[in-house]
Every structure is written in structure tokens, then in C-alpha cells.
Amino acid sequence: MITKFDISHFRGIKHLTIDGIKQLNVFLGYNNCGKSSVLEALYLFCDPSHPVNEIQINRARHYLKADAKSLQYLFYGLDVSTPVSLDGDLDNGEKRNVEIRYYEKEQTETDLGNLNLTSNNANKTYGLQTVLRQTINGRETTYNYRVEPNDDNSARTISEKGKKEYVYDGSCGYMPPSSNPLNYIDSFKDIIENKETANIVDALREIEPTLIGLNIIDDQIMADIGQHKLIPIQLLGDGIRKLFSIIIFIYQLRDGVAMIDEIDNGLHYKSMPTLWRTIISMAKSYNVQLFITTHNIDSIKALSSVLGSEDADFRDDSNIYTLRKKSDGEVLAVRSTYEQLDYMVNQEMELR
């Protein structure tokens, strides 16, 4: 698990240090303070051997372009002269630095039919270079990767020839605020095969009491709600779709790291205690480290209540961070324990 994390020059964050990271880490803060960017940075840090993620991360925000300008959106102030730097410590003693640089170079092949004499219109190849420095027991190993988008909505990834490739032996995932349950159909098939469906149905039944069971028919997740036919899960309410997606998302990341943005998006406030009880139970069962964002006061109150009913060990393994963005681009992560959170909730103090 990650125990410390530093972000420099990423999106709207000039610099941010997050200390004292635990198993459950919840980020609060005003709009545009950097909550989503923190989760995206964590995702790029966790598995840097797939540099295409640096392009895909924009798509999670529904921005589908992959041109030179879109690559520059990763950099603070759009200043590509200073690289993105992500530093972190892991509980196994590993120290890791991920550096992302933007580059442009002349193409090695030119279409003579389009050749002109305007020097500033020369065709160029552009991309991102990722340098991973991994230090274990005082020994540092460096890996280099590049990704270059193509005009046909694909991308070319390149690693150093003749060097041993970095192998990430964990699992990590980033869930944006809106998520389609069908994105997790393969993992749900594993759940059915392992006869673990009942636990999911029990959790979902707190939101949809008529739910009897779930199954897969023709690559479609179908719900039995007591009618004469099964119903596609997408046609049920936002709450059950959201909770289903979160459950499957955490299930597939056992012994790994999960980043969930706006976890309560689409949920009624009465469903929020169920949400927190479910994800905490799954995090404990599957040993998943959670990084979560919210700015919903009902969700924060529900979290405080649920943590209060949890065992003391898990309460001690939970942190709430309030992000405060300064005018110079520095972002502060003000950490609160469960006891501090509970006090602020009871005193109706401003948390977000």
C-alpha cells in the first residue's frame, strides 16, 4: 500500500504532499481544488509501465482528443518545459518516482505531396516519455517508456530495447464519477463462477428491496426484481447501478489500490450509509486500499456514522483530507482522523 505521495506540476496542482496515508483515504474540498487530479495522479503512479494511461486519463473526463495540445493538458499551467513528477513510498519499503515529459521531434518520413517551404509547419511526432525510478533496499532501477498518439485514434508505445521491463505485481484502477455497469461484466462473470453473487445481492437489496438475484444473459447483466421477466441492470435506478459498479470495481482490485471519484454521485442520501458499509467491508475482505473523493455533506455524515460502528482498528486506518488550493498553485492536504471528523460533524463545522 502507498504510505506517502507527492505530486508536482500535474494539471492544476503545482505541488501537493499527502502524508500519513492509510487504507481508507477520503478527499474533501471545494470544486476545482484538485480532488480528481489527485486520483488521476495516483493512478498514473501505481502502474507507470502502461504509458497509454497518460492519454486515456483525459478520456475519463470525456475529452477524447489525443493530439499535441491534449497531451499538454497534463502539465501545470500547460508548461511542458517542467515535467510532471509523482513520488511515493510503499509499505514494502519501495520508493518510486514517476516523471512524465512532453517531447516533439521531426518525423522520419515526409509526404512530398504536402511539402511546403514554411519552416514552422514541418510535420512532427509528439508524445510523452515516462521515466520510472524504483528504489528497493537502496538499489535504484530506471525504466523508460514512450507513448505517441496516431491520427487514427490509436497510440504507439515504446520501451527501451534490451532492458528488462518493469512488471507491476499489484492491481490498481480509477473509477470516474459516471460508470457503466457493463464495464465490469468480465469481473462479474468471475463472481458468478465463484458463487459470490449472494453477497452482492444482499448489499444491493438495501437500495432495491425487490431484488431477488442477478445473472448474465447474452453479455447483458440482468436483474430479477420479481417481475415475469428479468430486467437489464441499466434500466434500474441510479443508486443500484452505482453501487453495483463500485462493488465489482473493488472486487477486481483485491490486494490492490482503488481510486473512486465522486463516490456518492447519483445516490440518494438515505443510501449513503449502505454505500460506506459495503465498501469498507469489501476493502477489509479483499485488502484494497481506497482513495475516494466527495463533497456531499450527507455522504460525509454517513461516513462518520459508519466509521463509528466499525472496529477501532479500521477507524485508526482511516483518514479524511481536506484539500485547500492556494493562489500560487500549491495545494495543502489537511488531514483529520476519525475522531476529528466525528467532532466536526457533531459541531456542524464546515468540512468541504
Side-chain angles (χ1 to χ4, degrees):
M1 292 189 179
I2 302 167
T3 59
K4 183 182 178 183
F5 190 54
D6 277 31
I7 303 171
S8 294
H9 210 73
F10 180 70
R11 294 216 192 271
I13 301 174
K14 185 176 183 180
H15 184 257
L16 167 64
T17 296
I18 307 172
D19 286 315
I21 296 173
K22 297 185 177 179
Q23 184 170 9
L24 173 63
N25 306 276
V26 180
F27 294 91
L28 317 177
Y30 300 124
N31 288 332
N32 204 38
C33 69
K35 297 189 300 296
S36 297
S37 296
V38 169
L39 300 194
E40 292 171 341
L42 281 161
Y43 178 62
L44 297 180
F45 169 82
C46 280
D47 187 10
S49 63
H50 291 89
V52 71
N53 290 337
E54 295 156 10
I55 295 177
Q56 295 285 67
I57 205 70
N58 282 338
R59 296 178 175 238
R61 299 189 183 219
H62 305 288
Y63 183 81
L64 305 182
K65 291 186 178 181
D67 52 13
K69 180 185 287 187
S70 68
L71 299 186
Q72 296 170 20
Y73 291 150
L74 292 178
F75 297 82
Y76 176 75
L78 305 182
D79 176 13
V80 298
S81 66
T82 302
V84 172
S85 182
L86 310 173
D87 285 276
D89 297 345
L90 281 66
D91 61 1
N92 62 359
E94 176 187 348
K95 292 183 179 294
R96 185 185 304 170
N97 170 258
V98 177
E99 187 178 89
I100 303 171
R101 292 183 175 273
Y102 175 85
Y103 66 86
E104 292 182 351
K105 62 182 181 180
E106 299 292 336
Q107 290 186 353
T108 56
E109 296 181 3
T110 301
D111 181 0
L112 295 178
N114 292 328
L115 186 64
N116 60 62
L117 301 181
T118 305
S119 60
N120 61 355
N121 285 332
N123 291 329
K124 293 183 178 181
T125 298
Y126 49 87
L128 297 171
Q129 179 185 23
T130 300
V131 180
L132 164 62
R133 299 178 182 88
Q134 181 188 44
T135 304
I136 301 176
N137 296 326
R139 180 179 178 182
E140 181 180 295
T141 307
T142 302
Y143 306 86
N144 285 275
Y145 302 92
R146 286 185 289 148
V147 59
E148 297 174 355
N150 300 317
D151 294 334
D152 60 356
N153 203 33
S154 64
R156 187 167 67 110
T157 58
I158 308 144
S159 59
E160 287 184 296
K161 293 182 178 180
K163 289 196 69 174
K164 182 179 179 181
E165 297 222 6
Y166 170 76
V167 178
Y168 178 57
D169 59 1
S171 57
C172 68
Y174 170 72
M175 175 182 278
S178 58
S179 184
N180 186 344
L182 294 184
N183 293 341
Y184 308 104
I185 191 167
D186 289 336
S187 294
F188 186 56
K189 289 178 181 177
D190 291 338
I191 290 173
I192 293 175
E193 184 177 344
N194 294 329
K195 297 184 176 181
E196 297 183 84
T197 313
N199 293 334
I200 296 174
V201 172
D202 287 344
L204 296 178
R205 196 175 286 133
E206 291 196 43
I207 295 178
E208 178 51 70
T210 63
L211 182 65
I212 297 171
L214 295 168
N215 214 324
I216 295 178
I217 299 177
D218 296 331
D219 286 331
Q220 174 66 60
I221 301 170
M222 307 294 288
D224 182 356
I225 57 173
Q227 298 185 7
H228 67 282
K229 287 187 177 182
L230 302 181
I231 304 295
I233 196 170
Q234 298 100 302
L235 301 184
L236 300 182
D238 287 345
I240 194 168
R241 296 199 308 269
K242 179 75 172 186
L243 186 56
F244 175 86
S245 297
I246 290 172
I247 289 173
I248 307 303
F249 179 69
I250 295 175
Y251 174 88
Q252 68 185 10
L253 295 175
R254 58 188 65 202
D255 298 317
V257 184
M259 303 93 184
I260 307 176
D261 202 4
E262 294 186 23
I263 192 166
D264 38 48
N265 183 42
L267 282 174
H268 190 269
Y269 77 94
K270 289 186 177 180
S271 301
M272 291 174 186
T274 298
L275 167 71
W276 288 112
R277 282 196 301 270
T278 301
I279 65 169
I280 288 173
S281 174
M282 294 196 66
K284 291 162 64 176
S285 297
Y286 298 118
N287 190 36
V288 176
Q289 187 176 28
L290 298 170
F291 294 90
I292 293 169
T293 71
T294 181
H295 49 70
N296 187 311
I297 190 63
D298 292 313
S299 182
I300 298 167
K301 290 178 178 179
L303 170 61
S304 177
S305 175
V306 170
L307 283 177
S309 64
E310 284 291 321
D311 58 84
D313 287 343
F314 194 85
R315 286 199 299 271
D316 291 341
D317 209 9
S318 304
N319 271 335
I320 294 85
Y321 296 91
T322 303
L323 300 185
R324 296 286 185 245
K325 191 170 187 178
K326 301 167 66 176
S327 59
D328 60 358
E330 296 281 333
V331 179
L332 302 178
V334 181
R335 180 161 54 99
S336 302
T337 63
Y338 158 72
E339 289 78 14
Q340 292 168 324
L341 172 69
D342 187 57
Y343 175 81
M344 288 186 285
V345 167
N346 290 331
Q347 296 297 315
E348 298 184 351
M349 297 171 65
E350 176 62 49
L351 290 165
R352 299 165 292 172

